[in-house]
Amino acid sequence: MLPSISLLLGAALGTSAHYTFPKVWVNSGTSADWQYVRRADNWQNNGFVDNVNSQQIRCFQSSHSPAQSTLSAAAGTTITYGAAPSVYHPGPMQFYLARVPDGQNINSWTGEGAVWFKIYHEQPTFGSQLTWSSNGKSSFPVKIPSCIKSGSYLLRAEHIGLHVAQSSGAAQFYISCAQLSITGGGSTEPGANYKVPFPGAYKASDPGILININYPVPTSYKNPGPSVFTC
């Protein structure tokens, strides 16, 4: 009986230590879970992606399914991405955008190819241990660049759990993609040097993915993926 109770308790604790990114909102608004976000495969079990070559590394979907609706926001606006229940592990929060090609429908577009450009990545505070501002938070504001073209976009939220990342394939990726309609934009198209595909942007051996954050404590951290695009 006791071993069974221990196993159940361990499973419950493991699930509660994981999280999803099911909602986005603008300003003081709110939304239902998976209203503007494509429902990720971990919507019931709070699981993670550990294979950077998997199709799930894009939007955490093994088969394509659109969001219920598309959120409208002006370029230059700050959008908040919500976690449920909250980010539990040490590691960086990152955001990418991908513009839906003109003439294509956001509900059927899957985001294939080198179309993703990074608009934010988190750096830790260095000291006796790495401290991440995302750890313990449940809401993450990110500013949409004011200069990008208007149109339909996917906003990809990604948090990388690095607590056991000293082994190859052990980093944990928590991901989802929101559907946006960006208005009032400029004329800037990020260059090819900013754009990457998912899968294809990361390798399991990248120094920001295969890393021991516990000992010896790093004195620098290189985020995986391209440089952050700014206007």
Side-chain angles (χ1 to χ4, degrees), residues 38 55 57-59 61 64 96-101 104-117 153-156 177 179 196-200:
R38 295 181 172 182
Q55 289 295 318
I57 200 68
R58 185 183 303 145
C59 291
Q61 290 190 317
H64 172 69
Y96 289 80
L97 281 172
R99 188 175 187 272
V100 180
Q104 294 197 39
N105 190 308
I106 192 170
N107 289 320
S108 57
W109 192 63
T110 60
E112 292 184 14
V115 294
W116 298 90
F117 58 98
Y153 285 82
L154 296 180
L155 173 62
R156 178 180 177 273
C177 292
Q179 297 186 181
V196 294
F198 285 104

Side-chain angles (χ1 to χ4, degrees), residues 30-112:
T30 187
S31 72
D33 287 358
W34 314 113
Q35 180 179 357
Y36 301 117
V37 178
R38 295 181 172 182
R39 193 168 74 180
D41 291 348
N42 68 339
W43 71 283
Q44 287 182 310
N45 64 15
N46 291 9
F48 54 85
V49 180
D50 58 10
N51 181 356
V52 297
N53 297 312
S54 165
Q55 289 295 318
Q56 289 179 311
I57 200 68
R58 185 183 303 145
C59 291
F60 210 152
Q61 290 190 317
S62 50
S63 60
H64 172 69
S65 178
Q68 299 173 29
S69 307
T70 298
L71 178 67
S72 181
T77 297
T78 295
I79 290 178
T80 302
Y81 222 115
S86 62
V87 166
Y88 187 83
H89 297 305
M93 192 74 201
Q94 306 200 131
F95 288 99
Y96 289 80
L97 281 172
R99 188 175 187 272
V100 180
D102 293 336
Q104 294 197 39
N105 190 308
I106 192 170
N107 289 320
S108 57
W109 192 63
T110 60
E112 292 184 14

